Amino acid sequence: MAAAAGFRQHDRAGVRRCRGYGRAVRRFLRVLAGFVALVVVLAIWGYLNARADPVVRRTTVTLPDWPAGQAPIHVLLMSDVHFGNATMDAPRLSRIVAQANALKPDLTLIAGDFVAGHDPDDAVRFANAFVTPLSGLHARLGVVATLGNHDQATRPGAIRAALMRARITVLMNDAASRGPLAIAGLDDGPTGNQDMPLTLAALARQKGARIALTHSPVTAGPLPADIGLLLVGHTHCGQVVLPLYGPIKPQAPAPYNCGLVRVGGLTTIITAGLGTSVVPFRFGAPPDMWLITLGPAAR
């Protein structure tokens, strides 16, 4: 009798332990399911953020060497198309082009990284596909671009040829005049393709208020004092920016990671760009483009 009672008590203890294990497993599975659901929600949210229409940011910059008698103009800055990844396809790029044209810029400038990834064959395919959407860009003084690190690391010749088919002027360590502006188009610095002396020699042959366009805010050397405006992209403004922490992987030293920076006589504008790189998500750094009013300094 005593032995049977002992066995029954042991069985009940075993049942209680099994029930405890079962409750623990169920709690773990609920926590795991909640975590997976949170990851899925964040992924969808970040993807939708990355596919959203770009925010239009506006500012006014005065240039001391503005040609006498010339009226102010509106310049639209865009960058980092990254065509071919999950967040940039022909329909989205066409919508962005329509949004850009609706702003009625006098001049559109694009600061490089037209393709996604680093595969040369993909770059050729993406370049052929972006010609039609980008050829829809309209500006009275035209569209001017430089190349970025993804362009230079893949097939820069094919990308430049595609941009030319889209009626976009590509400046690779060269310069051009558009209306009242003389534009220095510096090639990409981080990939070692930037030639500052060659670009400045080309700029010296142009007339107008001097500005510079390049992909990265990190240039191969200081700009001359007579260049009053530098327009860049590359950083994506961090792309994923966490509260209280900031960008997970900043692409430029502070304060040149994002936005408008004025140091001395030079104004730098860093756009967040249109597409994404590495991961198809954006948090705290929406896609954007800048509409800049350029004109003479007050006398």
Side-chain angles (χ1 to χ4, degrees), residues 186-265:
L186 290 156
D187 212 335
D188 182 59
T191 54
N193 289 282
Q194 190 173 106
D195 190 327
M196 183 75 74
L198 181 64
T199 308
L200 295 181
L203 183 64
R205 297 189 291 270
Q206 307 298 323
K207 294 182 179 180
R210 297 186 171 191
I211 68 171
L213 174 71
T214 190
H215 180 59
S216 172
V218 180
T219 60
L223 293 172
D226 61 354
I227 293 180
L229 177 64
L230 173 63
L231 302 174
V232 296
H234 182 60
T235 69
H236 299 203
C237 283
Q239 188 169 309
V240 176
V241 181
L242 301 181
L244 305 178
Y245 182 85
I248 290 179
K249 189 178 179 182
Q251 296 296 314
Y256 293 98
N257 190 59
C258 186
L260 189 150
V261 182
R262 287 189 169 101
V263 176

Side-chain angles (χ1 to χ4, degrees), residues 71-85:
I73 64 171
H74 300 294
V75 174
L76 183 65
L77 171 64
M78 302 191 297
S79 186
D80 297 275
V81 173
H82 287 294
F83 191 94
N85 65 14

